[in-house]
Every structure is written in structure tokens, then in C-alpha cells.
Amino acid sequence: MQNLGALSGLDRELAKIATRIKNFKSWTSSIGAICESSQFLARRMRNAISDPSLPILELGAGFGSVTALLPESTVSVEREKTRYEHLTKIFPERTILDTCALPALAHLSTPTVVVSSIPSVNNSEFEFLRDGIAQAYKAGMIAELVTYTYFPHDPLAGIFAKSELAGLEMLNVPPAFVWKYS
Ligand SMILES: C[S@@+](CC[C@H](N)C(=O)[O-])C[C@H]1O[C@@H](n2cnc3c(N)ncnc32)[C@H](O)[C@@H]1O
């Protein structure tokens, strides 16, 4: 494998994918998906935020692809121990919480932008997350929410006044639909 630092953005993504495929079994059990989010999906998520000066809560930060592009003041939540430890190592100045997304949503005390990478499909707990999001929105604590899916289905249909399919990112494995709610 080449030195990743010497590669262009797209080459770097392809090199990462090649490594993941080589280590497919251990990787999928570790990340909960085929791959971490690409820098292209991460950028699309970040660009979907209307007002990045509002407080931001990131749910399911994983290995930090999206975290890296969010403002320093973002509070990121990752409950899996290895990923949480990785995040605290690579973002020593950030607020990273090793908690579940639900209490983090329940404790919001000001209108916040929520950026979620928590899967909505093949996730038996998603209905609880959906309820937690609905309650926080009803309480006026979610100004905007951005998330992605691997299928063209609206994962939070019926909760927000406004839902929008904000884009399709082909440079991700698999390609991802970005959703935006307010
Ligand atoms: C698809 S991965 C994250 C992808 C991330 N954007 C990346 O590039 O690494 C989803 C993450 O959500 C985390 N997660 C799932 N349910 C969660 C919950 N209820 N609370 C906190 N984290 C959760 C998982 O541990 C996993 O790391």
C-alpha cells in the first residue's frame, strides 16, 4: 500500500476502501457499516448545515470522518469504546462523550443542529432514536437535523415541519442519500 499522505483525495478514498476490503470481516464488525464515511459524504453533511454558528451535536461519530469537518465547538457522541478512544486521541481538544445518543438528545437545553450518522436500517434500536429525536424537536431543542441513509427512504418522515432530500453522494461506499430536517 502506498503512503496515504502522498495521494490525492479520491486516490486516498480508494486506497482506504482497498484496505477495508482486505480486512473486510474485522472491519465490518468494528464500524457497523462497510466503510467509514468518505470525506465527500462528510463534506456534503457539513455543507447541509444552514447555520454552523448554532450549537452542534453529532450522534454516532464513529471514527471521526464527519467530526473532522464540523466546528471545534461540536459535541460528539460515540458509545462504542474503541471508536470513542480513537476520537479522543485524534481530537484531544474536542468534547467527545462516550454515551448513548438518547440521553444526549434528552439533555439538550438550547436549539441545536443535530448531525447523525446512526444507521436507520438494520438497527433494531432506531425506533428509540426516532422517538428521542421527535421529543427533542417537540421541545424546540432541534433547530435542524442532518443525516444520511444508504436507501432512498426518509428515516424521520412525519416528525419535522420540513424534510428535504439534500443530495446523493456517489463517492461513498455505498452511495449515500443526505437528508435535512427543520
Ligand atoms: C455508520 S457508523 C459512523 C460513521 C462515521 N460517520 C464514520 O465515518 O466513522 C455509526 C456509529 O454510530 C454509533 N452508534 C450507534 N448507535 C448509537 C447510539 N445509540 N448512541 C451513540 N452512538 C451510536 C456506532 O457505534 C457507530 O460508530
Side-chain angles (χ1 to χ4, degrees), residues 21-51:
I21 289 169
K22 201 168 139 227
N23 304 321
F24 186 73
K25 202 160 171 237
S26 60
W27 180 254
T28 49
S29 60
S30 144
I31 184 73
I34 296 174
C35 262
E36 64 194 277
S37 316
S38 72
Q39 61 176 292
F40 305 100
L41 175 57
R43 203 175 305 146
R44 205 179 267 273
M45 296 276 282
R46 192 262 323 270
N47 291 346
I49 299 172
S50 308
D51 184 357

Side-chain angles (χ1 to χ4, degrees), residues 30-33 35-37 58-66 77-80 83 99-102 117-119 123 125 129 148 150:
S30 144
I31 184 73
C35 262
E36 64 194 277
S37 316
E58 183 192 19
L59 306 178
F63 284 102
S65 303
V66 178
V77 167
E78 173 52 60
R79 69 176 178 186
E80 200 276 325
R83 284 166 229 160
T99 178
C100 172
L102 291 179
S117 293
I118 297 180
N123 176 2
E125 295 172 298
L129 181 69
Y148 63 86
Y150 297 133

